[in-house]
Each structure stands twice: as C-alpha cells, then as structure tokens.
Amino acid sequence: MGNSTATTTDLDVALEKHRTELTGYCYRMLGSSFEAEDAVQDTLVRAWRSYDKFEGRSSLRSWLYRIATNVCLDMLTAGNKRARPMDLTDSTPLARAALSPRPDNTWLEPMPDARVLPTVEDPAEAAVAKESVRLAFMAALQQLPPKQRAVLILREVLAWRASEVAELLDTSVASVNSALQRARATLAEQKASGADAAVSDPLDEEQQKLLERYVAAFEGYDMTALTALLHEDAIMTMPPFDLWLTGHDDIAGFMTTFGSACEGSRLLPVQVNGLPGFAQYKPDPDKGGHTPWAIQVLEISEGRLTGFHFYLDTQRWFPLFGLPLHLDGESDEAEQGA
C-alpha cells in the first residue's frame, strides 16, 4: 500500500464505514458490548496493517468479516458462555431472595441499538437485525459452539450464501450446511423452553401506550398500576446479581422491600437490544437530583410486560449509551445523549 496521506485517509474512511455492522456481528458472537467494540477495533487495526496483502479476490467487506470472525473465535477459546440469570439458576421466591453478584464476564451485556444496527432501507431486513440482538436470541446464540454461532449469524442474520460462508471459514459448503442444521436444532430447543419478546418495529399504538403506563406506574411507584401491566409469569433480572424473580406478586414485593430506594425514580427512554428500554435514575440523597441506577430492558408479549431486566453497572452502561451521570432537575431530559 502506498504511504500517501490521501490513500491512508481513503482506507480509514472505507474501513470505518463497516464499523457498526462489524460491531453487531462481534456482539452477537461474544455477547459483550465492550468485548465486541474491542474486537472490532482489533479487526480494523489488523486490516489496516495488512491491507497491502489484501488482493481484492473478495470484497473488502468479506475480508473484514473473515478477520473479525478469527478475532472472535480467538476470544472465545476461553470457553466462557455469557448468560442471563435465568440461564444459570432457578427462580428464587421473594422470601429467600438474596443479592449475590457474579463477575462481569458471566453476563450477557446490553447494547445500544445505534452501535450495532446499521441503517438499512428494507424494513424486513431491519426487523431481522433487531430480532437478532434481542436478549432471548442472544442468550440462545451463546449456547452454540463458536463456529456454529458464526455460521448461524452469517447465514440466517446476515443472509450470506453457504458458499461465501464456506470460503470465509476455509471449509466446505457441506460442513457449513451441517453446522447450520445443528445450530438451528439447538435454537429450536431454546425457543421451546423460553418465551420470546413479540415487539413490533416500530412499536404499535398499544405497545406505545403500555410503555407510557409503565413509566407513569414506575415513576409514581404505584405497585397496583405496575402489577396490572405485568404478565402473571413476568420475569425480573438484575445483573450482576444472579437472583431472578418470577410472577407479579414477588416482583412487586421485591420493589417495595429490597428495591424501595427506587421510589421517586425518573426514566429516560433508550433503544437497547432491539427492544424498548429506559435509563433509570433514582433520587440522589447526597447531591440532590437523580443518580444513575440501571439500564432497563423491557420485553413485551400480548399486551403485557413479560420481562424486565435491570443492568446495574451504571459506571459502564451510562457512558456507553451517551447518558448523563447525574440529573439535576426537569431540564435534564432535553440533554439526553444518544
């Protein structure tokens, strides 16, 4: 590659165009927001350094996916499978609830839509992309061996041809088809054992109203109103704690005991994992105003909330979502980041 500034700048621009879709791919592979961003950075640096060896036999995009796949497969050799609390333990009745944290690398992590979902014209393609970063699908992906995971994402989510995937993985079309079949069978079993979110894209009027009622109930800390919005088998999780609760009685009970400091919270809307969500700020007794508490991810099915997941590591999540680390008063909503 020539060393002229123009060529360097052109290459930077050409590589950067692929950042969002590569982040989406690495996120689906790794289940971690931060590891995905590290993997993409590594991919782009490797591509930049070895561009003079790129012979143009495939497109730049295919070449980048090959590098990204190798980076992810290397990162996955440690064998860590990220999970949701309900993938690891049984539900705990409220009477036995205890808050036991597990290390960060245990958990499937949330991700802002804008970092992983490139803008596409085709609504059907956009819907598939959103569905493929939802928590239930992401958790199921983590159950697949790494190569099956890559095959399934490339074939089913990104709609690559079997021959293209075989070339990328240096394997045969028969081997790709076989891996895809096994991956589909595993996902079908996962789906049978857990409810999936049925969220319209964009949200339909009924879902929009449900969210408005949720905000009013949560900010008003009105457990009667909140309970009315929850499916009777609704699930609540709070990573990094492995505790998860099921059923509206236990959830409402938890929120008025362990969670009572959340009374008076404010919620700002966020787009997360292809689902509606909120940044939750709870009252700050020291400085006044409100302090970050959780990124909430909501799952909706048949007009009810079936899952709400509170990601509590605010020092990591709020900057990732471009959110302020303190709310002083009513004017802060206008300052909300991406």
Side-chain angles (χ1 to χ4, degrees):
M1 182 179 78
N3 282 330
S4 76
T5 308
T7 312
T8 301
T9 307
D10 291 348
L11 178 58
D12 284 341
V13 169
L15 294 175
E16 199 57 39
K17 274 184 192 156
H18 297 278
R19 182 181 290 274
T20 304
E21 65 168 313
L22 287 171
T23 306
Y25 176 61
C26 294
Y27 175 59
R28 293 176 186 103
M29 284 291 289
L30 301 168
S32 161
S33 333
F34 297 104
E35 284 183 6
E37 299 207 323
D38 289 348
V40 172
Q41 200 52 38
D42 192 3
T43 297
L44 297 180
V45 168
R46 288 189 196 189
W48 206 91
R49 284 188 183 144
S50 59
Y51 188 70
D52 52 351
K53 299 193 191 91
F54 172 55
E55 294 161 1
R57 282 185 305 205
S58 62
S59 68
L60 177 66
R61 180 174 182 251
S62 302
W63 184 60
L64 288 171
Y65 270 93
R66 175 189 280 262
I67 299 170
T69 302
N70 289 331
V71 168
C72 289
L73 292 176
D74 286 348
M75 289 172 81
L76 288 166
T77 49
N80 182 43
K81 289 180 183 176
R82 287 176 177 268
R84 302 166 299 170
M86 58 274 206
D87 302 321
L88 300 179
T89 62
D90 290 333
S91 172
T92 311
L94 180 60
R96 293 213 309 277
L99 297 176
S100 315
R102 293 202 191 192
D104 289 340
N105 67 0
T106 309
W107 304 115
L108 181 62
E109 297 180 344
M111 184 63 126
D113 286 2
R115 286 183 181 249
V116 289
L117 299 176
T119 309
V120 291
E121 298 301 316
D122 179 1
E125 199 182 321
V128 168
K130 272 197 163 182
E131 283 168 24
S132 71
V133 291
R134 289 192 180 148
L135 296 174
F137 184 79
M138 287 286 299
L141 277 180
Q142 304 305 303
Q143 301 304 313
L144 300 175
K147 279 216 166 133
Q148 281 184 34
R149 206 179 298 181
V151 167
L152 185 103
I153 297 164
L154 291 163
R155 292 282 287 118
E156 304 267 292
V157 178
L158 302 173
W160 286 38
R161 293 194 297 274
S163 56
E164 294 172 317
V165 179
E167 193 180 330
L168 181 141
L169 292 172
D170 288 326
T171 187
S172 66
V173 169
S175 163
V176 165
N177 288 337
S178 164
L180 181 60
Q181 236 176 339
R182 292 199 303 278
R184 278 177 177 158
T186 304
L187 285 200
E189 280 170 33
Q190 297 282 323
K191 200 155 191 166
S193 66
D196 206 355
V199 182
S200 310
D201 181 33
L203 294 179
D204 63 31
E205 197 180 342
E206 185 192 358
Q207 290 171 345
Q208 200 58 58
K209 282 190 174 145
L210 177 68
L211 289 185
E212 286 164 15
R213 287 164 63 204
Y214 172 75
V215 171
F218 197 97
E219 290 190 338
Y221 229 59
D222 179 342
M223 289 304 128
T224 308
L226 187 67
T227 299
L229 306 178
L230 297 179
H231 190 277
E232 60 185 30
D233 296 326
I235 282 171
M236 175 179 172
T237 69
M238 290 158 288
F241 301 115
D242 58 14
L243 169 77
W244 62 282
L245 299 164
T246 184
H248 42 55
D249 291 346
D250 275 3
I251 291 171
F254 182 89
M255 290 178 72
T256 50
T257 52
F258 285 84
S260 58
C262 291
E263 188 165 348
S265 287
R266 289 191 49 212
L267 301 181
L268 300 186
V270 293
Q271 299 296 313
V272 51
N273 285 82
L275 293 162
F278 295 95
Q280 179 192 342
Y281 291 80
K282 69 176 187 176
D284 186 337
D286 301 322
K287 289 194 267 182
H290 289 76
T291 191
W293 180 243
I295 294 291
Q296 301 183 1
V297 187
L298 305 187
E299 293 172 315
I300 300 172
S301 189
E302 296 171 0
R304 288 270 188 278
L305 292 171
T306 51
F308 58 151
H309 309 286
F310 294 71
Y311 289 90
L312 302 179
D313 192 345
T314 53
Q315 293 305 315
R316 301 172 85 216
W317 305 132
F318 278 59
L320 184 74
F321 282 79
L323 291 158
L325 288 174
H326 193 262
L327 294 186
D328 293 321
E330 295 308 310
S331 62
D332 290 288
E333 199 148 345
E335 297 166 21
Q336 184 194 350

